[in-house]
Amino acid sequence: MQSQNISDIIEKYLKSILGDSQQIEIKRSEIAELFNCVPSQINYVINTRFTIQNGYVVKSKRGGGGYIRIVKVNLLDDSDVIKDLVNIIGDGIDFNKSLQIIQSLFQEDLLTRRESNLIIASIDKRTLAFEDRQIENIVRARILISILNRLRYDD
């Protein structure tokens, strides 16, 4: 039996309490205590697994009454989220971050499996096999931004 690492377990737990609701508020110290880990481990999970590319917006308030709010967003219903995604993509994006965005669009039922696979094929490292990695990332960014804009305005 393969054991999961603590980050996977924490992610699974947070997603389970998020359930069908759009948002949750947690206290980092309470979650850390629950999993017997340091609070920075909770930060790591939130910063890497609950990103805008994955369909989440995270807000936090520091201090004694502080909290971390994780909000599940509908990627295309919120124009600010699209703007944030476009800003994250910027002038260039690597394949792994691109894949996160495509997976989120698929999970939100904004892309079919076939459409997702076609997009992934078009932005794959082997497809964009330029000698200069920076050019590859620029072309990938242009493709993704074009797709996002097309999805946003094409009903």
Side-chain angles (χ1 to χ4, degrees):
M1 178 190 287
Q2 186 179 8
S3 63
Q4 291 182 314
N5 69 42
I6 189 70
S7 295
D8 292 338
I9 294 167
I10 294 168
E11 174 189 14
K12 192 174 188 178
Y13 172 76
L14 292 175
K15 285 183 177 177
S16 74
I17 61 173
L18 189 58
D20 292 332
S21 45
Q22 284 299 108
Q23 71 179 21
I24 58 171
E25 283 186 12
I26 60 169
K27 290 193 181 269
R28 184 177 68 139
S29 59
E30 290 175 3
I31 301 296
E33 189 176 309
L34 179 67
F35 289 98
N36 197 25
C37 66
V38 294
S40 62
Q41 182 72 42
I42 307 304
N43 284 348
Y44 170 78
V45 171
I46 290 171
N47 291 334
T48 59
R49 314 282 176 97
F50 293 89
T51 62
I52 191 74
Q53 297 100 308
N54 293 326
Y56 298 93
V57 173
V58 176
K59 299 185 191 266
S60 62
K61 180 181 175 235
R62 297 199 180 270
Y67 61 85
I68 297 173
R69 180 180 296 141
I70 301 172
V71 181
K72 178 83 171 127
V73 293
N74 185 324
L75 293 175
L76 295 180
D77 282 350
D78 187 341
S79 64
D80 289 339
V81 173
I82 295 296
K83 288 177 191 172
D84 289 345
L85 278 174
V86 169
N87 287 335
I88 288 168
I89 294 169
D91 294 330
I93 188 169
D94 67 31
F95 178 72
N96 290 332
K97 288 182 182 170
S98 300
L99 190 56
Q100 287 179 334
I101 292 171
I102 299 305
Q103 287 172 333
S104 293
L105 293 170
F106 172 72
Q107 289 170 347
E108 290 285 323
D109 293 324
L110 298 169
L111 295 174
T112 65
R113 180 174 303 280
R114 181 182 171 115
E115 291 166 339
S116 299
N117 286 331
L118 289 170
I119 294 167
I120 290 168
S122 72
I123 63 172
D124 188 84
K125 295 175 186 179
R126 294 174 297 235
T127 304
L128 303 177
F130 296 104
E131 288 186 30
D132 184 343
R133 183 69 44 112
Q134 187 175 8
I135 292 173
E136 178 182 309
N137 291 342
I138 290 169
V139 172
R140 184 177 293 114
R142 289 179 182 174
I143 292 169
L144 283 177
I145 289 170
S146 178
I147 289 167
L148 287 172
N149 285 329
R150 186 69 167 174
L151 285 172
R152 178 171 38 174
Y153 296 119
D154 191 32
D155 284 332

